[in-house]
Amino acid sequence: MSKKQSTMPKTFDNIFDEISDFKRLRRCFYKASKSKFYRYSIIQFNHSLEENILKISEELKNETYEFGNYRCFYVHEPKKRLIESACFRDRVVHHSIHQTLEPIFDNQFSTYSYACRTGRGHHRAALLMKKWISDHPEKYFLKCDIKKFFPSIDRDILFKIISKTIIDERLLRCLKKLIANAPNHGIPIGNLTSQLFANIYLNELDQFVKRKLKVKKYIRYMDDFIMLADSQNEAQILREKIEVFITESLNLTLSPQKVQIAKCRDGVSFLGFFIRPNEMRLRGAFFRRMKKKLKKARIQALLSDSKTTESPKRHRGELHPYLMTINSYLGHVKFCTNSATLKREILKVNLGLFKESVI
């Protein structure tokens, strides 16, 4: 009997009070407004901060809190995506919910899940894939992508997965309202909680691949995942089994045009890099997009600075926006085999215009 109990998943109850705690919500206000204090909705909220936080806290405790409407818009880089952004008041609550749920579920996640997790990220995922390909150039890889992942997430299945771990009835009712409030289908890309929900959802796939299929070398970054196999036939069998699992258990489908099976020595495109056994380069599309963004950011910086004799208002220690863009790309390309050439391309700018330094 004790052995069976030890295999039961750990559950969590009586944790809703920490989400509705006044001090927690006030701290979450500052997290939600970080680098966005200039926005009207935040200025307006901050004007009566204590009163607004107290109201949210009381409504959560009384279970009368209602999530508001979303602002919907499209972004076009790298491809057209519908972004659904919650109102600022809701984003404060999202942060509080995330702070409670994230450590609980993160302990359940696979070691090889790299998206939206502290201490991980796409650079670590790409570098691990580089090591695997370098060590096993004779193997094959299977690379897959979920078709329209965020809009395709089944809300009922998501809630059932969460309910296996969270048994606090008040929190479950709050989460059900949060999930159901989003417009359209699935979960919105723009929410902080959506990143966590997405990892919770695809953790089912991670556990299937690692525990049932016994795949040793497997990496997932959100809905992109890749694994190594000993042969092309083995990779094809893995694909078929995964396709059946995500269809029957998660109500998802693979993107047929993005499923790829090939030899590791031929190279693989993964997370903005093209990786071969002895090299790691930027993908051509990423390089062109990078140059376009740098040019756009420089023009915006010059136009902004030309309108005033004073520097744009920024918080202490905050770099000029253009230099922040430069530093971001410098941090990205340092992992490439041809990093010196890429750095020179990025630094084709008259840095004398700026007082701050570049890393």
Side-chain angles (χ1 to χ4, degrees):
M1 182 68 180
S2 60
K3 188 174 182 181
K4 286 185 179 180
Q5 286 179 343
S6 65
T7 60
M8 292 292 287
K10 188 175 181 180
T11 57
F12 293 81
D13 198 358
N14 301 317
I15 55 177
F16 185 69
D17 286 341
E18 63 187 56
I19 291 173
S20 58
D21 179 71
F22 177 86
K23 292 182 179 178
R24 155 79 77 85
L25 288 167
R26 186 167 56 186
R27 290 194 299 270
C28 288
F29 159 76
Y30 291 105
K31 286 183 175 292
S33 59
K34 186 178 180 181
S35 302
K36 301 172 185 175
F37 265 104
Y38 60 88
R39 293 186 179 177
Y40 177 74
S41 60
I42 298 176
I43 294 171
Q44 192 176 38
F45 190 97
N46 190 40
H47 183 70
S48 303
L49 179 60
E50 302 292 308
E51 181 183 337
N52 287 327
I53 295 295
L54 182 61
K55 186 176 181 182
I56 291 175
S57 177
E58 290 177 346
E59 289 180 3
L60 285 170
K61 289 175 181 177
N62 298 331
E63 297 191 62
T64 58
Y65 186 89
E66 296 294 335
F67 292 95
N69 295 326
Y70 281 75
R71 181 173 66 93
C72 302
F73 57 94
Y74 286 95
V75 296
H76 296 270
E77 293 181 0
K79 61 183 180 181
K80 187 177 179 180
R81 295 180 186 273
L82 175 64
I83 303 298
E84 296 156 332
S85 177
C87 64
F88 179 74
R89 186 171 187 258
D90 286 354
R91 293 204 298 274
V92 174
V93 177
H94 293 171
H95 272 269
S96 187
I97 291 173
H98 186 273
Q99 281 189 26
T100 293
L101 296 185
E102 194 269 340
I104 291 173
F105 284 98
D106 193 75
N107 287 330
Q108 301 179 5
F109 292 160
S110 165
T111 305
Y112 301 105
S113 169
Y114 279 84
C116 307
R117 296 181 66 192
T118 303
R120 295 178 185 272
H122 70 284
H123 289 141
R124 289 199 175 191
L127 288 171
L128 180 59
M129 180 52 55
K130 170 67 167 61
K131 182 181 185 305
W132 286 351
I133 286 180
S134 298
D135 292 345
H136 306 281
E138 76 286 353
K139 287 184 178 289
Y140 284 77
F141 67 83
L142 166 64
K143 182 173 178 285
C144 302
D145 180 276
I146 305 293
K147 184 177 181 181
K148 297 181 179 179
F149 173 51
F150 278 86
S152 298
I153 288 177
D154 188 304
R155 296 177 180 181
D156 291 332
I157 295 175
L158 172 62
F159 188 74
K160 286 178 183 177
I161 295 171
I162 293 173
S163 301
K164 293 177 185 178
T165 299
I166 304 300
I167 59 173
D168 185 323
E169 291 297 332
R170 289 191 299 162
L171 178 52
L172 286 175
R173 287 193 289 270
C174 179
L175 293 177
K176 198 162 193 176
K177 284 201 292 186
L178 167 60
I179 294 169
N181 181 67
N184 303 309
H185 302 285
I187 59 176
I189 294 176
N191 283 356
L192 175 65
T193 50
S194 293
Q195 299 171 3
L196 178 60
F197 290 160
N199 270 335
I200 292 171
Y201 204 75
L202 284 187
N203 183 54
E204 301 293 303
L205 169 64
D206 298 341
Q207 300 305 324
F208 173 75
V209 171
K210 297 298 290 184
R211 295 174 184 271
K212 298 292 185 182
L213 301 182
K214 306 293 185 182
V215 176
K216 292 182 179 179
K217 290 179 169 51
Y218 162 83
I219 292 175
R220 181 177 63 81
Y221 189 89
M222 201 50 73
D223 61 319
D224 291 328
F225 56 96
I226 188 168
M227 64 200 74
L228 300 193
D230 290 330
S231 66
Q232 186 173 8
N233 184 57
E234 181 186 337
Q236 185 60 43
I237 292 172
L238 288 173
R239 176 209 169 149
E240 292 169 1
K241 290 181 177 180
I242 288 169
E243 200 154 19
V244 170
F245 174 79
I246 65 169
T247 300
E248 294 182 351
S249 300
L250 300 176
N251 198 21
L252 298 173
T253 57
L254 296 179
S255 297
Q257 69 275 20
K258 293 185 179 180
V259 173
Q260 185 181 3
I261 296 175
K263 284 187 177 180
C264 290
R265 66 165 57 94
D266 295 334
V268 58
S269 177
F270 188 52
L271 302 179
F273 296 101
F274 186 74
I275 305 170
R276 286 194 180 100
N278 296 317
E279 69 173 348
M280 184 161 148
R281 295 179 177 271
L282 287 187
R283 289 181 58 223
F286 185 96
F287 178 73
R288 290 188 293 274
R289 191 163 64 249
M290 179 185 76
K291 291 186 69 175
K292 182 179 177 181
K293 283 189 175 182
L294 284 168
K295 182 178 179 180
K296 181 179 178 181
R298 183 169 188 263
I299 292 171
Q300 288 177 339
L302 291 172
L303 289 174
S304 175
D305 290 354
S306 67
K307 292 178 181 179
T308 176
T309 56
E310 299 179 0
S311 299
K313 291 182 179 180
R314 299 191 296 277
H315 294 290
R316 183 180 298 176
E318 184 180 349
L319 286 175
H320 191 287
Y322 181 56
L323 292 182
M324 290 174 67
T325 303
I326 288 178
N327 280 341
S328 174
Y329 282 121
L330 287 176
H332 186 72
V333 304
K334 70 181 180 181
F335 301 102
C336 295
T337 310
N338 60 335
S339 60
T341 302
L342 292 169
K343 286 179 180 179
R344 285 195 296 270
E345 190 70 32
I346 292 170
L347 292 172
K348 284 181 179 179
V349 58
N350 180 8
L351 295 179
L353 292 172
F354 307 103
K355 295 180 181 179
E356 298 96 338
S357 61
V358 181
I359 61 171

